[in-house]
Amino acid sequence: MTVPQVSAVQRAIDAIRERIGSGEWATGTRLPSETELSSLLGISRSPLREAVRALVHTGLLSVRRGDGTYVTATDEISAVLTHRALDSRVADVIEVRAGLDAVCAGLAAQRRTAGDLEALAGALAQRRAAAEDGDRGAFAEADARFHLLVAQAAHNPLLSAVYSGLVGALVRSVDSELSLEHAVRDRGQDHDALLNAIEACDAARAEVVALEILRDQGRAAESPE
């Protein structure tokens, strides 16, 4: 029996999906340039372009003109959630996160690895630096990355996929002067407290702090800038 040949386009799609699914290219990651990607995957640029277009269509990738191609979702589930969440009110996103963040924080405190703690600390360092520099966009991206990493530290693939779908809306919800001012004034102590609880394997404390953070973000979202 003849085994059907897999097209170069499908091989490229599968290779990109594999790297996204494994976490090598997390949500928010910018893909290598077309030339670098072609060399990395061993696939010529023409089928590679078709593969990227197909993944943009499914919602896993997005193209930012003049900037590059970014991972916007880890799978089709989170892609659908991403589009729905971006069309939702900030207050609605925060209400949904109230349930997810507490669960993520509690599980992360029970299951985190040394690698998870290192990644979380790195995201907090980026968040703190962006706040001190007054870079609102970088601050919002770092804040969202930290919370996504908390979800990933729960080591529940379905939970992580659902949370990934909220990242774009999460960035939007904290991309405000009030959120930035709070981070500068608080010096990130609330987020440090969450990391400390996760590091100490204190699930109950982690859940409480996660909800306290969301209450502060909810107040910031309700206040006119």
Side-chain angles (χ1 to χ4, degrees):
M1 187 174 80
T2 303
V3 178
Q5 294 292 314
V6 178
S7 71
V9 174
Q10 189 59 51
R11 284 195 291 113
I13 289 173
D14 292 343
I16 294 171
R17 278 181 180 277
E18 181 180 352
R19 283 170 169 76
I20 293 173
S22 70
E24 180 180 346
W25 292 341
T27 302
T29 299
R30 182 171 67 178
L31 266 59
S33 69
E34 188 177 272
T35 301
E36 293 170 330
L37 198 54
S38 176
S39 175
L40 178 65
L41 302 181
I43 298 172
S44 61
R45 295 169 68 175
S46 179
L48 189 58
R49 284 191 207 104
E50 290 188 47
V52 168
R53 279 197 291 269
L55 292 173
V56 167
H57 182 71
T58 64
L60 268 67
L61 301 177
S62 66
V63 178
R64 301 180 190 176
R65 190 175 301 277
D67 190 6
T69 302
Y70 286 78
V71 177
T72 50
T74 55
D75 53 35
E76 283 75 12
I77 294 175
S78 56
V80 171
L81 283 170
T82 294
H83 290 300
R84 185 66 182 87
L86 286 172
D87 290 335
S88 300
R89 297 183 310 140
V90 169
D92 292 337
V93 173
I94 290 175
E95 286 180 358
V96 171
R97 283 187 59 200
L100 287 175
D101 279 34
V103 173
C104 290
L107 290 175
Q110 298 173 55
R111 302 173 179 173
R112 91 294 184 279
T113 65
D116 293 328
L117 294 175
E118 183 178 356
L120 286 164
L124 280 191
Q126 293 174 349
R127 182 182 185 274
R128 187 177 297 106
E132 291 173 352
D133 291 342
D135 189 334
R136 204 170 99 176
F139 165 77
E141 293 282 351
D143 184 89
R145 176 166 172 72
F146 172 77
H147 290 288
L148 177 59
L149 286 169
V150 171
Q152 292 172 348
H155 294 281
N156 178 322
L158 181 57
L159 185 58
S160 180
V162 171
Y163 206 93
S164 293
L166 297 177
V167 168
L170 197 162
V171 171
R172 180 166 59 93
S173 71
V174 297
D175 187 4
S176 69
E177 287 299 325
L178 285 172
S179 292
L180 186 62
E181 288 170 7
H182 172 76
V184 172
R185 186 171 58 252
D186 181 68
R187 297 186 61 81
Q189 291 181 22
D190 51 357
H191 285 64
D192 286 339
L194 178 54
L195 176 54
N196 290 340
I198 291 172
E199 184 173 11
C201 301
D202 189 341
R205 176 62 180 158
E207 292 173 8
V208 169
V209 176
L211 291 175
E212 288 174 349
I213 289 172
L214 277 179
R215 278 195 289 271
D216 288 339
Q217 291 184 352
R219 283 193 288 268
E222 292 169 1
S223 302
E225 291 197 39

